[in-house]
Amino acid sequence: ETGVAYNDNDNLMGLRAVACPIHLDGRVIGAISVGGPAERISGDFFRKDLPNSLRGTANEIELNLSEPNF
């Protein structure tokens, strides 16, 4: 729904991660993610700042991939 996946200690206690898909021509062709210790990735950084940065980076990658000279 938000275009972001969260891992909040789901697979390994003490680890958090945020991921965003990368689309090309209506298909998901990959993803980017950032993960680290839960004590360093917390609060607004985990739920707001990091997802916003990843969405922006994913968008930039999509734009670069859609260039005709790629």
Side-chain angles (χ1 to χ4, degrees):
E1 194 174 293
T2 64
V4 177
Y6 295 95
N7 180 339
D8 190 1
N9 295 295
D10 296 332
N11 297 327
L12 187 62
M13 288 304 285
L15 178 68
R16 285 187 171 151
V18 180
C20 289
I22 296 174
H23 299 92
L24 182 63
D25 299 327
R27 300 178 302 135
V28 175
I29 62 162
I32 57 171
S33 67
V34 173
E39 62 194 34
R40 294 185 62 190
I41 300 177
S42 61
D44 280 348
F45 181 67
F46 178 59
R47 292 288 175 188
K48 184 180 173 186
D49 301 334
L50 190 53
N52 286 340
S53 292
L54 281 175
R55 279 190 210 98
T57 302
N59 188 323
E60 189 171 332
I61 291 169
E62 291 167 354
L63 291 172
N64 286 326
L65 289 175
S66 67
E67 289 291 319
N69 294 327
F70 177 71

